């Protein structure tokens, strides 16, 4: 799309925004992300046919704004430097205290004029996005209430990652998202271009990547993943998938550039590479397709391949960062592969973690030699981080903390706050998701600077990113449903000063933004009808076992301890996810087997525990439950024994399993066994005795 068309779109956008504002009048403060300083004045500026636009921008960027001027809904005349009335001025100015970053801007609206000042085109662009959000339709055109704004981003990196491998997104769809992301001042779009489910970028040297590794016989990822996980040639009937040609990539990049968004390409290595190894099996340890997911690191041809791919990628993408994945490598084939073993011996590598580190170091050197920086998931710390690498911390914040304490940059994207593929509302009300529970409020609550960091370390936290993995998200509408409005919360986390944040205020602005997005043809989650947290989790439960000792006849998993030995009698119930620190997880032996000591013989009338099923995470409801009582803790009387059929009919489900009646005893034992067929985890949050 040429620049003129792009600005025609901006106009349309402005017009639709105006129409939307007509329907939902708002206060002028309704800006996302909330600016640093904002003071209302009196009166308002009217945008009319007399309004002129002046900019002192030079070169290509000036051209962008000139075109913009000509395509606004109220056609603006070109203004002059000396104009002081009826003018919107966009001025590049010297750096000063109010404009500490190239993205900072000041916006001054008086009845006479609008003045946006910044030290770069990016700053002017962000001032303009704020102005667009402030415009309201008036009888004679549009108006903006007088206001003085000073604004600057908290973080330089404010990202969104889109997985285009599991289900492919067209370039038109990506551009549509760029419009919205830029509007909320997100400045990085990380494209997860390669993964087992499909390779998505044309690489001229390796045509099979897009003739074969980009296509599946089954469009739906879940069906494909649960099936034979095969690929097909693009010209086979029923082949489903797709990829960006290099021209498509240039088009996306040009569009992103005009919106001051840097696109970061991710090329996965050494793992998540089944699709490459099916097309080019000589790059795997077995030498056969459909056997391995990790590249063979002992094979020089692997490096030739990766460097050739990265060369084409660097020719296309101007991004300083090239993301090389690095996550979740199984590394098991390396342990017996003669080539990998030889490499380890030759390079004195003690283990397979160091072999992965060898690959990452070597690739980093290649990228650095070409003037680029390596970015990778936090597993790139394993076996020793490469000297100049930046860590994207996803398995919690630990990777990011380790990175900055060793002088590296980090980008925070911990799953608990930034993985917007999780459920955003009560799972029973939502389309199937991968699991978890990440409502808007929790995203909004995130602070990317962990409390343990020194000010110097905190400076190395480059920013924050929301990630959308699309295994369970097969359509473009569904992608938008998961992204909006949660990415708006992250936009504010990334841009706004912590002292300016307020959840109730943001919630009001987000409701408005959802309506705006709908009016513009997006498909956001319907925030106004949000159900919210699991009711049980919102207040403590009182019962006879509260605070009593729990004897673990089988251990809980150290990975999901909740609050440890007191978790099942602390009165605190879990929310819609096992990862919230309230649900305790059992994976060993028969799973849950606990005895509660009530300290004295007690009359009891019910014993209840809640369980959940999240099939995507291999969490299942129990196949049997036994509840018993005892006076001495040794001889138990069974109150209930019940078996259940464990099925995969419900991808996500919460169930209470209780005994009710009249009994007496000092000790209450609750056992819940996993089924033989699926095994998996059992989670519970409280043993409630009444
Ligand atoms: C990841 O979620 N595997 C980075």
């Amino acid at each position: 799309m040429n620049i003129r068309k792009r600005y025609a779109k901006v106009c349309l956008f402005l017009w639709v925004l105006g129409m939307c504002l007509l329907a939902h009048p708002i206060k002028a403060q309704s800006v996302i992300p909330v600016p640093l300083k904002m003071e209302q004045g009196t009166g308002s500026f009217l945008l009319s046919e007399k309004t002129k636009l002046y900019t002192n921008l030079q070169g290509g960027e000036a051209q962008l704004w000139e075109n913009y001027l000509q395509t606004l809904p109220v056609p603006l005349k070109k203004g002059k430097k000396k104009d002081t009335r009826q003018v919107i001025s966009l001025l590049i100015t010297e750096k000063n205290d109010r404009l500490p970053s190239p993205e900072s801007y000041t916006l001054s609206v008086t009845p006479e004029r609008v003045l946006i000042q910044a030290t770069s085109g990016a700053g002017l662009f962000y001032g303009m996005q704020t102005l667009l959000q402030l415009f309201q339709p008036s009888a004679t055109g549009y108006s903006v209430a007088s206001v003085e704004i000073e604004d600057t981003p908290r973080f330089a990196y404010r990202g969104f990652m889109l997985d285009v491998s599991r289900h492919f997104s067209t370039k038109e769809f990506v551009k549509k998202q760029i419009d919205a992301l830029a509007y909320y001042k997100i400045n990085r779009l990380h494209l997860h271009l390669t993964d087992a489910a499909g390779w998505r970028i044309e690489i001229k040297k390796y045509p099979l990547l897009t003739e074969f590794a980009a296509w599946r016989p089954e469009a739906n990822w879940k069906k494909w993943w649960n099936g034979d996980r095969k690929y097909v040639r693009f010209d086979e009937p029923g082949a489903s998938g797709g990829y960006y040609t290099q021209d498509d990539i240039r088009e996306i990049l040009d569009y992103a550039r005009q919106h001051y968004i840097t696109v970061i390409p991710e090329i996965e290595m050494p793992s998540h590479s089944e699709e490459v190894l099916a097309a080019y099996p000589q790059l795997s340890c077995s030498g056969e397709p459909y056997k391995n997911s990790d590249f063979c690191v002992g094979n020089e041809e692997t490096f030739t391949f990766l460097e050739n791919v990265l060369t084409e990628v660097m020719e296309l993408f101007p991004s300083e960062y090239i993301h090389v994945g690095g996550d979740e490598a199984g590394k098991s084939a390396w342990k017996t592969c003669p080539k990998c073993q030889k490499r380890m011996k030759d390079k004195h590598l003690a283990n397979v973690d160091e072999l992965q580190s060898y690959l990452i170091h070597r690739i980093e050197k290649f990228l650095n030699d070409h003037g680029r920086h390596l970015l990778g998931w936090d597993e790139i710390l394993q076996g020793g981080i490469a000297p100049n690498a930046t860590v994207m911390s996803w398995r919690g914040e630990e990777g990011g903390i380790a990175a900055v304490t060793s002088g590296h940059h980090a980008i925070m994207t911990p799953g608990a706050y930034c993985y917007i593929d999780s459920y955003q509302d009560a799972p029973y009300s939502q389309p199937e998701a991968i699991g978890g529970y990440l409502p808007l409020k929790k995203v909004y609550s995130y602070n990317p600077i962990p409390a343990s960091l020194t000010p110097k370390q905190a400076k190395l936290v480059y920013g924050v990113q929301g990630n959308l993995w699309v295994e369970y998200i097969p359509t473009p509408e569904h992608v938008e449903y998961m992204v909006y409005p949660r990415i708006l919360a992250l936009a504010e986390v990334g841009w706004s000063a912590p002292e300016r944040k307020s959840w109730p205020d943001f919630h009001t602005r987000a409701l408005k933004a959802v309506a705006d997005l709908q009016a513009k043809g997006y498909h956001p989650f319907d925030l106004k009808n949000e159900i919210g947290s699991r009711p049980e989790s919102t207040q403590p439960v009182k019962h006879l076992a509260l605070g009593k000792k729990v004897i673990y006849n089988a251990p809980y998993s150290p990975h999901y301890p909740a609050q440890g030995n007191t978790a099942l009698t602390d009165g605190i119930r879990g929310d819609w996810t096992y990862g919230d620190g309230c649900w305790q997880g059992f994976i060993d032996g028969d799973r849950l087997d606990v005895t509660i000591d009530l300290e004295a013989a007690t009359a009891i009338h019910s014993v209840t525990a809640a369980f959940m099923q999240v099939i995507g995470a291999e969490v299942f409801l129990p196949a049997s439950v036994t509840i018993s009582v005892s006076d001495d803790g040794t001889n138990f009387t069974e109150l209930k024994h019940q078996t259940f059929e464990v099925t995969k009919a419900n991808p996500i489900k919460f169930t209470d399993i209780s005994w009710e009646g009249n009994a007496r005893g000092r000790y209450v034992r609750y056992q819940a066994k996993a089924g033989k067929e699926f095994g998996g985890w059992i989670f519970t949050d409280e043993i409630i005795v009444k």
Side-chain angles (χ1 to χ4, degrees):
M1 184 185 286
N2 65 30
I3 287 169
R4 190 165 295 221
K5 278 199 190 140
R6 170 253 182 281
Y7 280 108
K9 266 190 77 188
V10 171
C11 285
L12 184 66
F13 172 67
L14 187 65
W15 183 81
V16 172
L17 177 73
M19 291 301 103
C20 172
L21 291 172
L22 258 185
H24 305 271
I26 52 150
K27 288 190 285 186
Q29 301 90 313
S30 197
V31 177
I32 294 177
V34 66
L36 184 63
K37 291 184 189 159
M38 192 163 178
E39 265 177 48
Q40 295 293 311
T42 47
S44 42
F45 177 86
L46 294 181
L47 187 68
S48 73
E49 268 143 41
K50 290 196 200 117
T51 312
K52 289 169 275 208
L53 194 142
Y54 170 74
T55 178
N56 66 353
L57 266 168
Q58 304 290 322
E61 278 184 319
Q63 193 59 44
L64 286 182
W65 291 97
E66 293 233 342
N67 289 320
Y68 180 70
L69 176 157
Q70 287 168 26
T71 55
L72 282 171
V74 180
L76 299 183
K77 295 188 186 63
K78 195 169 166 180
K80 296 204 177 65
K81 192 174 177 186
K82 63 178 172 30
D83 289 328
T84 53
R85 299 179 68 80
Q86 286 290 323
V87 64
I88 299 177
S89 295
L90 304 165
L91 296 187
I92 292 288
T93 182
E94 292 286 302
K95 191 170 173 179
N96 60 54
D97 288 350
R98 302 173 79 211
L99 300 172
S101 137
E103 296 185 316
S104 310
Y105 67 91
T106 56
L107 167 61
S108 168
V109 179
T110 65
E112 287 77 37
R113 55 111 184 88
V114 173
L115 173 62
I116 301 176
Q117 289 183 284
T119 62
S120 81
L124 294 182
F125 182 79
Y126 291 132
M128 200 68 195
Q129 301 317 300
T130 298
L131 184 65
L132 286 174
Q133 292 191 31
L134 291 172
F135 265 124
Q136 300 192 67
S138 70
T140 51
Y142 297 90
S143 72
V144 194
S146 293
V147 69
E148 296 293 325
I149 293 178
E150 183 183 323
D151 203 7
T152 199
R154 181 176 180 203
F155 293 103
Y157 185 116
R158 304 175 302 278
F160 167 62
M161 187 215 77
L162 181 63
D163 166 11
V164 294
S165 173
R166 275 52 176 260
H167 292 104
F168 182 59
S169 284
T170 64
K171 66 179 174 190
E172 288 77 19
F173 180 79
V174 171
K175 285 159 66 177
K176 182 181 174 196
Q177 307 323 308
I178 286 173
D179 288 338
L181 295 169
Y183 190 63
Y184 297 108
K185 304 188 176 82
I186 298 274
N187 66 359
R188 299 288 191 283
L189 173 62
H190 163 183
L191 289 179
H192 184 74
L193 288 165
T194 73
D195 211 303
W199 182 278
R200 304 295 180 211
I201 174 170
E202 178 186 23
I203 300 294
K204 306 255 190 219
K205 266 215 165 82
Y206 299 99
L208 287 181
L209 293 173
T210 43
E211 287 172 9
F212 177 69
W215 304 92
R216 310 191 298 246
E218 168 57 59
N220 183 281
W221 177 87
K222 187 177 162 190
K223 286 196 193 137
W224 175 78
W225 189 251
N226 292 331
D228 64 7
R229 303 188 191 177
K230 289 282 183 339
Y231 311 93
V232 289
R233 274 191 59 82
F234 72 99
D235 46 6
E236 267 196 35
S240 173
Y243 64 93
Y244 306 115
T245 65
Q246 295 202 349
D247 280 345
D248 292 340
I249 293 283
R250 283 187 201 97
E251 189 179 322
I252 291 172
L253 291 172
D254 195 41
Y255 197 73
R257 184 182 60 78
Q258 291 168 29
H259 290 75
Y260 295 90
I261 285 182
T262 301
V263 183
I264 299 173
E266 180 183 351
I267 304 295
E268 273 274 18
M269 63 189 79
S271 197
H272 284 275
S273 297
E274 290 90 334
E275 84 292 19
V276 180
L277 304 178
Y280 297 98
Q282 67 273 27
L283 304 177
S284 69
C285 292
S286 68
E288 289 175 47
Y290 301 114
K291 284 253 157 61
N292 304 111
S293 53
D294 303 343
F295 284 98
C296 174
V297 187
N299 184 352
E300 270 308 292
E301 210 184 324
T302 291
F303 289 91
T304 309
F305 171 86
L306 292 174
E307 291 178 6
N308 283 338
V309 167
L310 290 173
T311 298
E312 291 193 36
V313 166
M314 286 188 288
E315 277 162 15
L316 290 165
F317 290 84
S319 164
E320 172 204 359
Y321 276 135
I322 305 292
H323 200 304
V324 301
D327 57 321
E328 299 181 308
K331 305 170 192 163
S332 59
W334 299 350
K335 292 179 185 156
T336 50
C337 165
K339 286 184 189 153
C340 288
Q341 287 300 309
K342 178 166 186 320
R343 176 84 76 194
M344 286 169 65
K345 193 155 165 267
D346 292 350
K347 299 289 172 191
H348 311 291
L349 307 173
N351 51 43
V352 287
D353 283 350
E354 290 189 11
L355 186 59
Q356 159 151 325
S357 174
Y358 167 84
L359 173 133
I360 299 291
H361 273 72
R362 216 173 131 174
I363 294 297
E364 171 171 90
K365 173 143 190 350
F366 180 76
L367 293 176
N368 290 171
D369 287 349
H370 291 79
R372 306 303 178 94
H373 278 110
L374 182 142
L375 176 59
W377 300 112
D378 55 52
E379 289 93 330
I380 64 168
L381 287 154
Q382 292 167 359
I385 186 171
N388 305 312
T390 294
V391 169
M392 200 167 252
S393 190
W394 72 281
R395 296 175 306 165
E397 292 184 315
E398 291 75 12
I401 293 170
V404 300
T405 44
S406 62
H408 291 258
H409 274 104
I411 293 155
M412 291 300 194
T413 179
Y417 295 93
C418 297
Y419 269 44
I420 56 175
D421 53 340
S422 305
Y423 286 99
Q424 60 194 315
D425 201 358
Y428 65 80
S429 67
Q430 296 301 299
E432 184 181 3
I434 196 155
Y437 174 53
L438 180 53
L440 186 68
K441 187 175 182 179
K442 183 153 185 204
V443 180
Y444 191 73
S445 74
Y446 185 50
N447 180 357
I449 304 288
S452 63
L453 298 188
T454 64
K456 197 169 158 214
Q457 290 163 348
K459 282 211 169 67
L460 294 173
V461 176
Y462 195 25
V464 62
Q465 176 168 292
N467 294 335
L468 188 70
W469 305 98
V470 299
E471 287 94 334
Y472 292 84
I473 307 175
T475 67
E477 292 78 16
H478 194 170
V479 169
E480 291 179 353
Y481 181 84
M482 301 304 272
V483 174
Y484 307 105
R486 285 185 290 185
I487 201 68
L488 277 55
L490 219 58
E492 189 147 315
V493 166
W495 178 282
S496 301
E499 65 275 15
R500 290 288 287 153
K501 285 176 65 194
S502 150
W503 164 249
D505 184 61
F506 175 76
H507 186 249
T508 306
R509 285 179 285 126
L511 285 167
K512 169 70 190 58
V514 165
D516 288 352
L517 285 160
Q518 281 165 338
K520 287 183 219 158
Y522 291 84
H523 302 84
F525 166 68
D526 182 14
L527 184 62
K528 69 179 181 318
N529 288 320
E530 183 180 17
I531 295 165
S533 283
R534 182 171 171 245
E536 292 85 341
S537 72
T538 58
Q539 54 188 29
V541 55
K542 286 209 175 82
H543 60 101
L544 295 173
L546 197 63
K548 299 291 191 276
K549 184 176 177 200
V550 179
I551 300 150
Y552 285 86
N553 306 312
Y556 53 81
S557 160
H559 298 294
Y560 294 100
Q563 301 309 309
N565 292 346
T566 58
L568 299 185
T569 52
D570 62 1
I572 309 291
R573 310 292 308 277
D575 209 330
W576 296 120
T577 174
Y578 58 81
D580 71 347
C582 298
W583 290 90
Q584 197 161 60
F586 299 85
I587 190 73
D588 293 322
D590 284 339
R591 311 302 191 265
L592 174 68
D593 184 355
V594 289
T595 304
I596 297 163
D597 181 359
L598 298 175
E599 294 167 9
T602 308
I604 57 175
H605 304 290
S606 72
V607 180
T608 304
F611 298 94
M612 70 165 79
Q613 174 150 304
V614 186
I615 287 178
E618 304 202 346
V619 178
F620 291 96
L621 296 173
S624 75
V625 159
T626 309
I627 301 170
S628 30
V629 283
S630 163
D631 287 329
D632 59 7
T634 308
N635 301 302
F636 279 86
T637 307
E638 195 171 284
L639 300 176
K640 173 181 180 120
H641 176 75
Q642 194 173 353
T643 57
F644 306 89
E645 192 193 349
V646 184
T647 75
K648 289 194 171 178
N650 289 300
I652 186 145
K653 191 172 175 186
F654 290 74
T655 303
D656 282 350
I657 303 182
S658 305
W659 161 84
E660 281 178 26
N662 292 306
R664 197 175 171 78
R666 171 171 169 178
Y667 297 92
V668 176
R669 186 173 183 186
Y670 202 119
Q671 293 162 276
K673 292 190 181 180
K676 292 262 175 299
E677 190 178 352
F678 307 124
W681 292 83
I682 283 192
F683 275 87
T684 191
D685 59 344
E686 187 82 0
I687 311 290
I688 300 168
V689 181
K690 290 195 167 164

